Amino acid sequence: MKLKYVLSAMAVLVFMMLAGCQGETEKTSGTKSKEGGTATIQFWHSLGGKNGEFMDQLIKRFNDSQDEVKVVGTFQGAYDETSTKLQQSISASTGPDVTMLERSYVQQFAESEVLEDMTPYLKESGLKKGDFTKGLMGHSTFNDKLVSLPLNRSTPILHVNKTILDEKGLKVPTTWDELNEVANALVVKEGDKVTRYGLTMPYDTWYPIAMISQSKGTYFNKDKTSIGFEKNDVGVKVFQYLKDMQKTGALYYPPAQDSGNIVNQMFAAGKVPLMFQSTGVIGDISQNTDFEYVTAFLPKNKIHATPTGGGNVAMLAGSENKEAAWKFIDFMMEDPKGLQQFIVETGYLPFTEKMVNSKEIQDLWAKEPNKKTAYDQLKYAVDNNKSVVWPETMHEFFSAIEAIMYDDEEIEPTLNQFKGEVERILSES
């Protein structure tokens, strides 16, 4: 896993060096293909599995709706992998016209001036920035340019096997104290072997950052010179909370490789009744479980808080098919058969007032209230890791999480080492 991040970080550095050598107006990517009056554009995304099938269906709906533009969608791997491939393709002038970007990577690409300012396209379509949900637009603008728009946006939420909680006479936890109590009460052991855990979550920075925010800490400090969760030992307390639960079996922390699928399978099999996971898995869980399944806000510590996540969509500045590219993006934003239908199918967040008020979304929430939880939780959304160097520091944070959660390294020295790396990166940026 570490090797993956090392390779990714190297690609980032190469990309930044190459981008820095390019003039502002020089093309960095793009394709040009018109056959029989039809423009063909390339769209890269990061959705595999069931959600990938839903994305393929969206692309087909667009292609079937008109004959001026044909979209070729390509799954490029997870967010990190897509980002790395995009960096390499831009450097080689072989990039796509439209791409999905995990929202925390947007600033890095925007700083390298390889993303198109979509402001005039948005205006021409009659859309306004105010039409989009505020809590999901934190990574859409850079230097007053509109460089991306929401696509498959999400927040982490608490997924609950309520059948098991009811059997034990337990309530859905709403605070950290309740979470600790309920998770421990759910543990089942045969001898020394744990056969049922209490809580699980994927190996990801998302969940510790949520817990740091819930403890009134921030990822970066106010001046962006260091980390912001050293004050009052917020970071130490977050990881001590997790380690204490891990030692009793109340927390199942999965292997790093494919951790998202592993925890989903554990939850679906009833081996862990509580799970921190993206709202994007609701559709899949709902279809593949036979117990009473509910979703809830992440339990609060000092306050309620949640990061946002998921992907945005961006147009490459080097594309030679920008009008065609926007036609596809506009379809996704405005047509009920675009992302609105995709959201109904997957459980990702609606992100325009038009979508939220649509009969389809309102009917969906009435029928499946689990899919409304994350939208309601947006009032507590915090984007405290917004920085062009976030991706680089993220790799260091992954290393710290690995050391603490897998290797049982002492928490405070590990976080101090991480702090030093962050300060070095920030000082060189």
Side-chain angles (χ1 to χ4, degrees):
M1 201 69 181
K2 283 184 177 179
L3 178 61
K4 169 186 170 184
Y5 290 120
V6 169
L7 291 172
S8 179
M10 289 174 64
V12 169
L13 292 173
V14 170
F15 168 68
M16 293 177 73
M17 291 169 61
L18 289 170
C21 295
Q22 292 166 337
E24 185 173 349
T25 58
E26 187 175 351
K27 304 302 181 188
T28 55
S29 66
T31 58
K32 189 171 186 177
S33 177
K34 284 192 176 182
E35 295 180 2
T38 300
T40 299
I41 64 169
Q42 303 295 323
F43 169 51
W44 287 9
H45 65 81
S46 305
L47 297 178
K50 193 67 180 176
N51 286 343
E53 293 176 16
F54 290 137
M55 178 53 72
D56 290 341
Q57 291 168 17
L58 180 152
I59 293 169
K60 185 177 186 306
R61 290 195 297 272
F62 172 74
N63 287 337
D64 290 346
S65 71
Q66 43 73 54
D67 57 8
E68 296 176 358
V69 180
K70 178 183 178 182
V71 174
V72 177
T74 307
F75 170 65
Q76 293 289 357
Y79 291 130
D80 261 8
E81 194 173 357
T82 299
S83 175
T84 300
K85 289 180 179 178
L86 191 61
Q87 291 156 9
Q88 294 166 340
S89 72
I90 290 171
S91 299
S93 297
T94 58
D97 303 279
V98 179
T99 189
M100 175 187 287
L101 270 180
E102 204 281 336
R103 46 95 219 179
S104 62
Y105 283 100
V106 170
Q107 286 190 305
Q108 183 186 65
F109 282 89
E111 187 184 53
S112 299
E113 300 181 340
V114 296
L115 302 183
E116 180 74 4
D117 180 6
M118 294 187 283
T119 302
Y121 299 93
L122 193 77
K123 187 176 181 180
E124 189 176 330
S125 291
L127 285 167
K128 305 184 293 296
K129 290 181 186 176
D131 294 332
F132 293 82
T133 302
K134 188 177 179 181
L136 298 176
M137 290 293 281
H139 294 265
S140 289
T141 57
F142 186 84
N143 288 342
D144 296 325
K145 294 180 180 178
L146 181 68
V147 293
S148 73
L149 288 168
L151 197 164
N152 61 319
R153 296 304 302 273
S154 59
T155 69
I157 54 175
L158 178 63
H159 302 258
V160 181
N161 181 330
K162 194 166 181 300
T163 299
I164 292 180
L165 265 66
D166 288 346
E167 289 172 356
K168 297 283 292 182
L170 299 169
K171 294 183 178 179
V172 176
T174 60
T175 67
W176 280 26
D177 286 342
E178 292 176 2
L179 177 63
N180 183 54
E181 183 179 343
V182 172
N184 274 288
L186 290 166
V187 175
V188 175
K189 292 184 178 179
E190 292 180 2
D192 293 333
K193 182 181 179 183
V194 178
T195 56
R196 189 178 72 197
Y197 297 85
L199 170 72
T200 191
M201 65 187 73
Y203 160 68
D204 201 294
T205 60
W206 218 23
Y207 308 97
I209 287 176
M211 299 176 76
I212 286 166
S213 299
Q214 290 156 11
S215 306
K216 290 190 174 181
T218 58
Y219 185 76
F220 294 115
N221 66 6
K222 186 177 179 181
D223 298 327
K224 296 282 179 74
T225 56
S226 183
I227 61 174
F229 54 88
E230 184 183 36
K231 187 178 179 182
N232 298 325
D233 290 329
V234 166
V236 173
K237 291 175 181 175
V238 165
F239 283 101
Q240 192 62 61
Y241 179 87
L242 294 174
K243 289 300 291 184
D244 287 346
M245 288 210 292
Q246 188 183 33
K247 287 174 183 174
T248 63
L251 171 66
Y252 172 73
Y253 204 73
Q257 190 70 38
D258 205 25
S259 67
N261 284 326
I262 291 171
V263 298
N264 292 345
Q265 291 164 9
M266 294 275 287
F267 180 77
K271 295 181 178 178
V272 190
L274 301 172
M275 176 172 71
F276 288 176
Q277 177 57 292
S278 167
T279 185
V281 304
I282 292 176
D284 194 27
I285 291 175
S286 298
Q287 293 176 20
N288 294 296
T289 55
D290 55 7
F291 52 77
E292 186 180 357
Y293 164 54
V294 299
T295 60
F297 287 7
L298 294 175
K300 72 173 184 179
N301 188 20
K302 293 182 177 178
I303 58 172
H304 276 297
T306 180
T308 66
N312 278 9
V313 61
M315 185 194 306
L316 275 295
S319 169
E320 296 184 0
N321 296 298
K322 290 175 184 169
E323 291 295 334
W326 176 257
K327 190 175 180 68
F328 175 53
I329 295 172
D330 188 44
F331 171 84
M332 289 198 287
M333 298 296 133
E334 291 209 273
D335 195 297
K337 298 298 182 186
L339 286 171
Q340 179 178 299
Q341 184 167 332
F342 173 83
I343 287 164
V344 169
E345 293 164 340
T346 58
Y348 284 110
L349 288 164
F351 50 76
T352 66
E353 188 174 346
K354 181 180 176 182
M355 286 181 183
V356 169
N357 294 327
S358 69
K359 183 177 184 305
E360 289 80 2
I361 295 294
Q362 291 296 318
D363 286 350
L364 172 72
W365 284 349
K367 183 180 178 182
E368 300 183 56
N370 281 343
K371 291 183 175 177
K372 189 170 185 289
T373 301
Y375 183 80
D376 291 339
Q377 193 183 231
L378 274 179
K379 60 186 173 186
Y380 301 120
V382 178
D383 282 325
N384 68 21
N385 58 342
K386 190 176 178 183
S387 167
V388 293
V389 299
W390 153 250
E392 194 174 355
T393 67
M394 176 187 69
H395 300 305
E396 300 297 335
F397 197 30
F398 267 114
S399 296
I401 294 171
E402 281 186 44
I404 295 169
M405 299 307 295
Y406 296 135
D407 302 333
D408 284 329
E409 295 288 344
E410 291 187 27
I411 297 171
E412 190 165 359
T414 302
L415 293 182
N416 284 337
Q417 183 176 350
F418 166 64
K419 176 182 174 233
E421 288 301 312
V422 172
E423 290 174 351
R424 176 188 61 77
I425 292 167
L426 287 169
S427 68
E428 294 172 354
S429 65

